[in-house]
Amino acid sequence: MLNLRRRTVLAAFAAAVALGTTAVQAADPNKTSLVFGATAGYNYDVLKLAIVPQLEEQGYKVKLVEFNDYVQPNLALAQGSLDANLFQHIAYLNRFKTDKKLDLIDLAQSTTAPMGIYSKSRKSLEETQEGDRYTLPNDPSNLARALQLLQVHGMVKVKQDIDPLRVAERDVTENPKKIKLQPVEAAQLPRTVGDSEFSIVPGNFAIAAGLDLTSALVLEEPPIEYQQVVAVRTEDAEKPWAQDLAKAFESPFFKEALDKHFPGYVRPAALAGK
């Protein structure tokens, strides 16, 4: 009788283990380990808090790699050391892959931390004085966004019909208050808050430096071409693991994570109205 009970318990245990193993099998049996890259700050945190838990629940093993520049993540993706990356908007991706002849594609839209203008010596842009210094990003993509933000608020005017990713200070046609534009490496911009009269800081670097988005004098409302996307190699876009990744950015879990950890961020179109 004891042996029968023991055999029954062991059989039940084995069945439970088998069921548990089945429950955590990855949807793509041909690729169960994934490597994602992201820039330091909120892009990395979005993957860590809102995406990786979903994929691990589905049985994938996910490794995150942190980058501090805007060049290496796409090169690493194209070379195969990454399976996907999250750090750029679609305008930058399209320009970069064309310039470098890389076969990459946007897979899903993520959330976006808006660029903001910060100041410790001025309470509004209206307090701008002649000759005030504005620090802004020196990389072409973010520089274009910064100049567009200044134009929206009437501080400068920029040439029309030019490539938005090629725009530079020389393309400013009007500067009524003769503000001084000082390009700085994006990661260093938070350090200029207080040293310059105004600092235009991309959202990811603002968050990484502990700046509160709501403390900005103004925040951009980025058009879709300036909103963050997940990129993969084109050949991988339809594979099961990539589709699981894309679905994770449209899930209720993703929305709840944004509500909890990323208030004030621009939502992807898939979550509009939710």
Side-chain angles (χ1 to χ4, degrees):
M1 186 68 171
L2 181 60
N3 288 337
L4 178 60
R5 286 181 178 176
R6 183 179 181 184
R7 286 197 297 272
T8 301
V9 170
L10 290 176
F13 177 77
V17 170
L19 287 172
T21 301
T22 301
V24 295
Q25 284 182 341
D28 190 344
N30 297 316
K31 189 172 183 62
T32 59
S33 295
L34 304 172
V35 182
F36 300 154
T39 42
Y42 83 95
N43 284 316
Y44 187 95
D45 291 340
V46 165
L47 291 178
K48 179 181 178 181
L49 299 173
I51 300 302
V52 171
Q54 297 186 69
L55 295 176
E56 288 182 339
E57 183 71 20
Q58 297 176 49
Y60 293 100
K61 293 181 179 179
V62 184
K63 177 183 178 181
L64 298 182
V65 179
E66 185 177 288
F67 291 86
N68 291 297
D69 70 85
Y70 295 126
V71 175
Q72 294 306 313
N74 277 335
L75 297 180
L77 177 60
Q79 293 163 3
S81 56
L82 296 178
D83 296 304
N85 67 39
L86 174 59
F87 78 100
Q88 64 197 322
H89 51 64
I90 193 169
Y92 180 84
L93 170 63
N94 288 340
R95 171 58 65 184
F96 192 95
K97 72 180 185 181
T98 298
D99 288 348
K100 301 293 184 180
K101 296 179 173 58
L102 305 179
D103 197 9
L104 306 179
I105 191 171
D106 56 296
L107 178 73
Q109 188 180 357
S110 182
T111 189
T112 303
M115 180 178 285
I117 303 179
Y118 299 82
S119 178
K120 289 186 177 180
S121 60
R122 306 286 190 268
K123 295 182 180 179
S124 70
L125 296 189
E126 286 71 24
E127 292 185 5
T128 299
Q129 300 175 16
E130 185 171 319
D132 273 355
R133 184 162 56 106
Y134 278 71
T135 54
L136 68 172
N138 65 358
D139 60 284
S141 175
N142 280 315
L143 176 58
R145 289 172 63 188
L147 291 176
Q148 178 63 26
L149 182 58
L150 288 174
Q151 180 166 263
V152 167
H153 290 278
M155 302 306 300
V156 300
K157 284 191 177 181
V158 182
K159 290 179 183 177
Q160 295 182 345
D161 302 324
I162 60 174
D163 185 338
L165 295 184
R166 300 299 190 198
V167 67
E169 308 98 282
R170 63 179 177 273
D171 298 309
V172 174
T173 59
E174 294 184 27
N175 183 354
K177 292 194 175 182
K178 297 182 175 59
I179 61 174
K180 296 177 181 178
L181 302 175
Q182 181 181 346
V184 175
E185 184 180 349
Q188 301 303 318
L189 282 167
R191 298 182 180 180
T192 70
V193 177
D195 292 335
S196 60
E197 284 75 31
F198 298 90
S199 300
I200 308 178
V201 186
N204 58 321
F205 291 108
I207 295 298
L211 291 175
D212 186 345
L213 293 180
T214 61
S215 70
L217 301 183
V218 296
L219 291 171
E220 69 173 341
E221 297 181 4
I224 191 168
E225 61 266 26
Y226 287 152
Q227 294 182 26
Q228 302 291 286
V229 294
V230 179
V232 297
R233 291 179 293 278
T234 303
E235 65 189 63
D236 291 335
E238 298 301 323
K239 292 180 179 178
W241 68 264
Q243 290 302 300
D244 287 340
L245 174 59
K247 291 175 184 176
F249 280 90
E250 300 179 3
S251 68
F253 184 94
F254 184 59
K255 178 186 180 300
E256 291 172 4
L258 295 187
D259 290 342
K260 180 178 180 180
H261 301 290
F262 305 97
Y265 287 59
V266 179
R267 298 300 179 92
L271 297 182
K274 296 182 179 179

